[in-house]
C-alpha cells in the first residue's frame, strides 16, 4: 500500500480506538492535511481520492462521533474502490474497545490525584504503566517487519498515552474556559503540559538583600511594600509613583513614570519581587520601572528557582504555576522513559522524569542544566533517527543508471566558456557518481552566491539527456528561470555542445498558451529534453515522457509539496537541490541529514571581493557620490530598502517615497527604476529586464532582487535600514554586486546612528564568506533565517535543544547512528518504547525535503 494510504489507515485506526473523539492527531484529524496532500500526490494517489479525503477530514471536526465513524468508514471504502489493496486490509481493528484508564489504587497511593472533578466523568486518569506495558503483548502477533506504530501516533509526548492524553478539564480548577486559554498556549492534554516549558526562571534562591545591592547590579529583590506615593512632575503634566520596599536589611525606592494606574496595584504590606537594574538618584540606590510581580508566601514561589511561563488572557502566572506544579509532581515521575538505559548511560543523561520535573521546578541551576541537556538530546536524537530513516528510504528504491565515459565528459567541459573551479569539479564528480549508482540521487549543492552552481546543474542535466531521459529545472522567479534558460542554451547548445536549442525550453507563467501547448506536447513525446521554469512546470497538465533529473534552485523558496510534485512527474528521478544560503555545519548535519551534500566553496577566478562599509545615516551623501562616480564609468547601482514582509505597508511606502525623492532631487539626471513586492510579476520582470539591459542606472528596490539575479555590470549596492536584515540576507543581497571583474562596493546604512556599531553589520565589513557570516548569524538570531518551509518546521520542534550547541548535537547524532546501525527498524523488543516515541515525534508531520 502507498505510504500515504498506510498513514491514513494508522490514523483512522487510532481514531477508532479513541472512539472518534478527533484526537488521533493533536489539533484534530484535519491537521494532517497540511502534509498529507503533498505526500499523497507524491505517491501518485488520484486527485479524486485526495479530494475525498480532504473534504471529509475538513468537515470531520464538526460532526458527531457517530457521524464521524460513518464518515471515516465511508471514506475508507471509497479509497478501497480505487485502491483495492487498501480496501482489503483489515478494517480498523476488531479488538475490544479500549478500556478507559482506571485508577490503579495499588500505585502511588500516597499521591493524591490532581483532581476529583466532574460528575459522570471517567475517573481521573492516573499513571497506568502496568496497563501500558501490557498493551503491546495484547495485540495480535506482529507481522514482519513489525508495524512501527499501531498506537498513539498523534499524541505527541506521552509515554503513557491513555492517561497523559487526557483533556485538561480533568484537572481541578480547569473548566472549559481555562482549557480554551491553555489550548491557545498549545496545551490540550496533560502530556502537553509536561512539555510546556518555562520561558525563563527567577532564581529566588540567590536573592540579594537590599543592604548589599550595588549600583549597576541587575538583580531581583524581594521585599514588602512599605509606602506608595504618587506625585506630579513637570508641572503636573506627568506623574511618578514611588514605592518603597523593605526586606529587613534595608529599604529601596522604585519608581514608575506615567503609569498612574499602578498606584492601586501596590498595597502596603504586600510582598513583591522586582527585577531590574539598580540605578542612582541623588546619591541613593533606586530602581526605575523594574519588572515586578506579587510574591506568594508558599515555598513554591520563593527561595527557589521559579519558572516563568508565557501566558495568555485569563491566565495568571501563579495559577498556571500551581496547575503545573500538581501535574508535574504527579505525572512527570510516571512518564515512561523511552530512551534505553544503555544510551542514557553512554550519553550521561538524567531520566526523562527527572528532566521534566527539574525543567519546571528546578532544585538547582545544575539540575536544571542537566534537564535541559536531556530534553535537548531527545529532540536531536529523534530528529536524527528520522533523517537517517528517510535517507535509507530514499536509497531503498532503484534509480536509473546514467553512465558516461571520461571522453564524453572531457569534451563537454572543453566546450564550456570557462574552466570549472576545483569545487565545481568535485560537485560534478559527486553528481556523476550518484547518477551511476543505481539509487536515486538526493543531493544538496550548497554554494555561496556567484559560486557557479548553474553550470554544475546543467552538466548533470546533460548527462541524463545523453542517456535519453529528460530533466526539469524549477526556479522561484521567472527572471531567474529565464536566466537559467539562457545559461543552459549557452552551455549545452552552443559550439561543441551536444544539444539543440529546441530541446531546451522555458516555461513560465507568462509563456503564451500556444507555446505552452507546444512544450507540453514536446515533453510528452520526448522531443523536448530539458524544461526550465517556475511553478508553471508543476502544473498538472505538464507531463513527461521520461523525467529522470529534477533540479530545484533556491530550494528554501519552495514548499515541500511543490518539490514533491515536481519529483512525482517522474519515477524515482534523481534530485538535485541547490541553495545559496550557507548552512552552518551543525544545522546541515541535523536538518539536512537525509541529503548528501556538495559544497562549492571556491569562487571562480577573477572575482574581486566586495568592499563593504558601514556608514552613519548622515553620511548618506558620501554613498550618493560614490554611486555617481561608478555610474559615470558606465556601471549600475542598487539601492535596497528593508521590506521584511511584503504586507508591511509602512516599509513599502518608504521605498516608494524615497524613490520620489531620489529620482526628483538626488539623481534628477539619472535613470531610476523601482521594484517592489507588490508589483505584478510581469511588471517586476519588466523592470528587472530593463535594468539588466542598462535602461536604468539605479534600481531602487526591496528585497525582491535578493534571489540569484546576475547583472555583472552593477558595482554598487547601498542598503538602507541595514540593521533590519539578517546577515544571511545581507550577504545574499551583497552577492548581487561583485559579479564582474570591476571592484564593487557595498554600503550599509543602519536606521539609527547607534546601530552603527551593530555587531552583525561590522561582521559584513570584515568578511565576504557566507559561511562565516552564517555561523555568526546562527549564534545571534537562531536558525529561522536558514530554513525554508519544512526546515522551519523542524526547528520549531527544537524547543529545548539549541541548534548552535554543536557538542550536544554531535553526542545525540553519535548515539542515534549507533542505534540505527544496530536496529534500524527499532524492532528489537527493548526498543519498543523508543519506536513508539520516535513515531510520535516523527509522525507529527515532518515531511521530507523535496
Ligand atoms: P550561483 O551559484 O549564484 O547560482 P551562477 O551559476 O549564476 O552562480 O554563476 C555566477 C556567474 O559565474 C555566472 O555568470 C557564470 O557564468 C559564472 N561562472 C560560473 N562558473 C565559472 C567559472 N568556473 N569560471 C568563471 N566564471 C564562472
Ligand atoms: Mg543561482
Amino acid at each position: 500500500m502507498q505510504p500515504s494510504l498506510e498513514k491514513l489507515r494508522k490514523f483512522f485506526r487510532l481514531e477508532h480506538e479513541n472512539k472518534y473523539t478527533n484526537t488521533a492527531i493533536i489539533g484534530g484529524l484535519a491537521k494532517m492535511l497540511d502534509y498529507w496532500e503533498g505526500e499523497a500526490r507524491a505517491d501518485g494517489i488520484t486527485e479524486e481520492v485526495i479530494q475525498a479525503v480532504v473534504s471529509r477530514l475538513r468537515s470531520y471536526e464538526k460532526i458527531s462521533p457517530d457521524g464521524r465513524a460513518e464518515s471515516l468508514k465511508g471514506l475508507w471504502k471509497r479509497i478501497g474502490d480505487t485502491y483495492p489493496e487498501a480496501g482489503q486490509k483489515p478494517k480498523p481493528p476488531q479488538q475490544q474497545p479500549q478500556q478507559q484508564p482506571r485508577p490503579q489504587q495499588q500505585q502511588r497511593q500516597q499521591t493524591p490525584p490532581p483532581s476529583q472533578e466532574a460528575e459522570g466523568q471517567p475517573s481521573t486518569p492516573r499513571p497506568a504503566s502496568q496497563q501500558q506495558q501490557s498493551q503491546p503483548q495484547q495485540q495480535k502477533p506482529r507481522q514482519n517487519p513489525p508495524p512501527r506504530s499501531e498506537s498513539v501516533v498523534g499524541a505527541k509526548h506521552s509515554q503513557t498515552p491513555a492517561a497523559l492524553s487526557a483533556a485538561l478539564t480533568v484537572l481541578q480548577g480547569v473548566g472549559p474556559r481555562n482549557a480554551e486559554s491553555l489550548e491557545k498556549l498549545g496545551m490540550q492534554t496533560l502530556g502537553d503540559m509536561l512539555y510546556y516549558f518555562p520561558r525563563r526562571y527567577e532564581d529566588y534562591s540567590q536573592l540579594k538583600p537590599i543592604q548589599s545591592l550595588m549600583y549597576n547590579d541587575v538583580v531581583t529583590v524581594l521585599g514588602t511594600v512599605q509606602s506608595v506615593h504618587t506625585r506630579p512632575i513637570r508641572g503636573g503634566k506627568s506623574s511618578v509613583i514611588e514605592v518603597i520596599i523593605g526586606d529587613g536589611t534595608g529599604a529601596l525606592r522604585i519608581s514608575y513614570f506615567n503609569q498612574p494606574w499602578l498606584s492601586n496595584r501596590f498595597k502596603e504590606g504586600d510582598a513583591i519581587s522586582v527585577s531590574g537594574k539598580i540605578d542612582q538618584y541623588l546619591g541613593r540606590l533606586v530602581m526605575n520601572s523594574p519588572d515586578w510581580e506579587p510574591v506568594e508566601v508558599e515555598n513554591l514561589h520563593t527561595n527557589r528557582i521559579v519558572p516563568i511561563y508565557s501566558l495568555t488572557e485569563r491566565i495568571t502566572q501563579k495559577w498556571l504555576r500551581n496547575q503545573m506544579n500538581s501535574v508535574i509532581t504527579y505525572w512527570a515521575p510516571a512518564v515512561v522513559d523511552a530512551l534505553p538505559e544503555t544510551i542514557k548511560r553512554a550519553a550521561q543523561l538524567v531520566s526523562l522524569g527527572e528532566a521534566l520535573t527539574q525543567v519546571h521546578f528546578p532544585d538547582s541551576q545544575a539540575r536544571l542544566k542537566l534537564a535541559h541537556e536531556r530534553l535537548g538530546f531527545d529532540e536531536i536524537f529523534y530528529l536524527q533517527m528520522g533523517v537517517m530513516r528517510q535517507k535509507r528510504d530514499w536509497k531503498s528504491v532503484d534509480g536509473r543508471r546514467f553512465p558516461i565515459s571520461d571522453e564524453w565528459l572531457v569534451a563537454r567541459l572543453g566546450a564550456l566558456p570557462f574552466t570549472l573551479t576545483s569545487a565545481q569539479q568535485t560537485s560534478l564528480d559527486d553528481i556523476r557518481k550518484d547518477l551511476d549508482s543505481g539509487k536515486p540521487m538526493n543531493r544538496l549543492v550548497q554554494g555561496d552566491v556567484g559560486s557557479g552552481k548553474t553550470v554544475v546543474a546543467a552538466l548533470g542535466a546533460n548527462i541524463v539527456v545523453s542517456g535519453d531521459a529528460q530533466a526539469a529545472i524549477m526556479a522561484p522567479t521567472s527572471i531567474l528561470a529565464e536566466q537559467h534558460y539562457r545559461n543552459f542554451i549557452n552551455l549545452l547548445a552552443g559550439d561543441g555542445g551536444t544539444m539543440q536549442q529546441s530541446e531546451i525550453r522555458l516555461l513560465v507563467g507568462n509563456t503564451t498558451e500556444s507555446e505552452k501547448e507546444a512544450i507540453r506536447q514536446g515533453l510528452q513525446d520526448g522531443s523536448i529534453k530539458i524544461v526550465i521554469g517556475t511553478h508553471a512546470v508543476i502544473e498538472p497538465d505538464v507531463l513527461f515522457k521520461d523525467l529522470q533529473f529534477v533540479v530545484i534552485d533556491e530550494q528554501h523558496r519552495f514548499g515541500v509539496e511543490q518539490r514533491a510534485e515536481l519529483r512525482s512527474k517522474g519515477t524515482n528521478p534523481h534530485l538535485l537541490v541547490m541553495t545559496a544560503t550557507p548552512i552552518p555545519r551543525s544545522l546541515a548535519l541535523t536538518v539536512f541529514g537525509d541529503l548528501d551534500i556538495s559544497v562549492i566553496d571556491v569562487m571562480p577566478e577573477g572575482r574581486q571581493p566586495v568592499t563593504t562599509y558601514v556608514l552613519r545615516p548622515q553620511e548618506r551623501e558620501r554613498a550618493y557620490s560614490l554611486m555617481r562616480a561608478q555610474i559615470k564609468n558606465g556601471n549600475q547601482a542598487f539601492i535596497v530598502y528593508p521590506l521584511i514582509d511584503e504586507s508591511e505597508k509602512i516599509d513599502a511606502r518608504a521605498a516608494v517615497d524615497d524613490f520620489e525623492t531620489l529620482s526628483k532631487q538626488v539623481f534628477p539626471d539619472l535613470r531610476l527604476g523601482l521594484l517592489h513586492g507588490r508589483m505584478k510579476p510581469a511588471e517586476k520582470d519588466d523592470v528587472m529586464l530593463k535594468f539588466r539591459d542598462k535602461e536604468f542606472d539605479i534600481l531602487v528596490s526591496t528585497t525582491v532582487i535578493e534571489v540569484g539575479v546576475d547583472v555583472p555590470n552593477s558595482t554598487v549596492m547601498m542598503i538602507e535600514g541595514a540593521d533590519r536584515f539578517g546577515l544571511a540576507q545581507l550577504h545574499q543581497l551583497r552577492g548581487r554586486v561583485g559579479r564582474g571583474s570591476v571592484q564593487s562596493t557595498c554600503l550599509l546604512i543602519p536606521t539609527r546612528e547607534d546601530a552603527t556599531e551593530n555587531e552583525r553589520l561590522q561582521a559584513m565589513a570584515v568578511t565576504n564568506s557566507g559561511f562565516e557570516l552564517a555561523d555568526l548569524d546562527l549564534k545571534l538570531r537562531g536558525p529561522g533565517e536558514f530554513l525554508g518551509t519544512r526546515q522551519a518546521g523542524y526547528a520549531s520542534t527544537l524547543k529545548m535543544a539549541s541548534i548552535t550547541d554543536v557538542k550536544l548535537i554531535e553526542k545525540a547524532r553519535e548515539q542515534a547512528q549507533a542505534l540505527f546501525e544496530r536496529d534500524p527498524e527499532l524492532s528489537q523488543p527493548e526498543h519498543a518504547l523508543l519506536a513508539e516515541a520516535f513515531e510520535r515525534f516523527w509522525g507529527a508531520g515532518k515531511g521530507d525535503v523535496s
Side-chain angles (χ1 to χ4, degrees), residues 51-119:
Q51 287 317 319
V53 172
V54 169
S55 70
R56 296 254 176 150
L57 293 191
R58 283 255 160 79
S59 56
Y60 188 76
E61 181 188 23
K62 295 191 198 82
I63 46 188
S64 70
D66 283 350
R68 287 175 181 169
E70 281 313 305
S71 175
L72 290 194
K73 277 182 199 137
L75 179 55
W76 196 248
K77 188 160 167 299
R78 167 76 190 78
I79 293 172
D81 291 345
T82 314
Y83 298 96
E85 70 277 19
Q88 279 156 21
K89 283 270 171 167
K91 281 264 154 53
Q94 305 301 324
Q95 54 179 161
Q96 306 276 348
Q98 238 194 2
Q99 286 190 334
Q100 281 298 322
R102 288 276 140 81
Q104 307 221 335
Q105 294 302 347
Q106 69 275 30
Q107 283 179 27
R108 303 183 57 84
Q109 259 171 341
Q110 68 284 19
T111 322
S115 97
Q116 302 293 358
E117 227 204 14
E119 347 67 52

Side-chain angles (χ1 to χ4, degrees), residues 621-643:
E621 280 303 325
R622 279 180 59 198
Y624 292 153
S625 52
L626 197 138
M627 245 177 258
R628 272 183 186 288
Q630 295 276 351
I631 292 167
K632 225 182 211 152
N633 290 338
N635 291 308
Q636 291 161 281
F638 293 103
I639 305 180
V640 181
Y641 289 85
L643 188 118

Side-chain angles (χ1 to χ4, degrees), residues 541-663:
D541 52 356
V542 178
L543 300 169
F544 292 79
K545 181 163 182 239
D546 188 15
L547 178 65
Q548 287 292 328
F549 189 60
V550 168
V551 180
I552 315 271
D553 193 19
E554 308 290 348
Q555 60 86 24
H556 61 287
R557 295 281 167 132
F558 291 99
V560 180
E561 303 79 29
Q562 294 165 328
R563 293 176 293 206
E565 235 152 275
L566 183 54
R567 203 155 45 98
S568 70
K569 290 182 183 283
T571 313
N572 303 332
H574 296 283
L575 174 74
L576 183 67
V577 298
M578 306 201 287
T579 181
T581 310
I583 302 154
R585 192 178 124 78
S586 56
L587 200 58
L589 291 177
T590 336
V591 179
F592 295 93
D594 51 341
L595 295 169
D596 296 312
I597 299 182
S598 301
V599 180
I600 305 189
D601 51 4
V602 178
M603 283 291 169
E605 256 175 59
R607 291 282 166 78
Q608 305 241 23
V610 180
T611 313
T612 302
Y613 301 100
V614 184
L615 299 182
R616 292 182 304 167
Q618 62 268 47
E619 291 175 302
R620 199 172 270 117
E621 280 303 325
R622 279 180 59 198
Y624 292 153
S625 52
L626 197 138
M627 245 177 258
R628 272 183 186 288
Q630 295 276 351
I631 292 167
K632 225 182 211 152
N633 290 338
N635 291 308
Q636 291 161 281
F638 293 103
I639 305 180
V640 181
Y641 289 85
L643 188 118
I644 292 145
D645 174 353
E646 291 183 2
S647 67
E648 281 185 3
K649 289 211 172 70
I650 285 178
D651 283 335
R653 213 177 299 133
V656 173
D657 287 353
D658 270 27
F659 178 73
E660 286 299 306
T661 330
L662 286 168
S663 47

Side-chain angles (χ1 to χ4, degrees), residues 380 586 590 802-803 805-813:
I380 306 276
S586 56
T590 336
S802 161
I803 201 81
D805 189 346
V806 179
K807 248 165 79 187
L808 179 68
I809 290 173
E810 299 278 349
K811 186 153 103 172
R813 255 170 60 80

Side-chain angles (χ1 to χ4, degrees), residues 385-503:
M385 289 290 294
V387 292
M388 283 187 299
R389 180 170 290 178
Q390 233 166 311
K391 185 164 191 168
R392 190 208 43 193
D393 288 350
W394 268 100
K395 306 275 174 196
S396 69
V397 294
D398 289 338
R400 173 103 51 91
R401 284 179 193 272
F402 292 96
I404 48 158
S405 68
D406 289 344
E407 294 71 38
W408 185 89
L409 190 58
V410 167
R412 297 286 69 71
L413 296 178
L416 298 178
F418 43 70
T419 314
L420 293 189
T421 63
S422 57
Q424 284 171 320
Q425 187 63 59
T426 313
S427 304
L428 181 62
D429 291 345
D430 291 341
I431 291 170
R432 181 185 175 185
K433 266 194 217 109
D434 290 347
L435 289 176
D436 193 17
S437 70
K439 299 288 169 197
M441 170 166 80
N442 191 22
R443 182 168 293 279
L444 173 72
V445 170
Q446 195 193 333
D448 220 335
V449 278
S451 61
K453 295 181 289 295
T454 315
V455 62
V456 174
L459 289 166
N462 201 359
I463 293 177
V464 168
V465 168
S466 79
D468 235 10
Q470 292 168 301
I473 290 84
M474 184 159 70
T477 64
S478 46
I479 301 172
L480 209 52
E482 198 218 335
Q483 184 179 299
H484 285 331
Y485 170 71
R486 281 183 292 115
N487 273 326
F488 270 57
I489 296 274
N490 283 339
L491 295 167
L492 306 181
D495 286 347
T498 59
M499 297 191 62
Q500 306 297 318
Q501 280 212 15
S502 62
E503 293 175 323

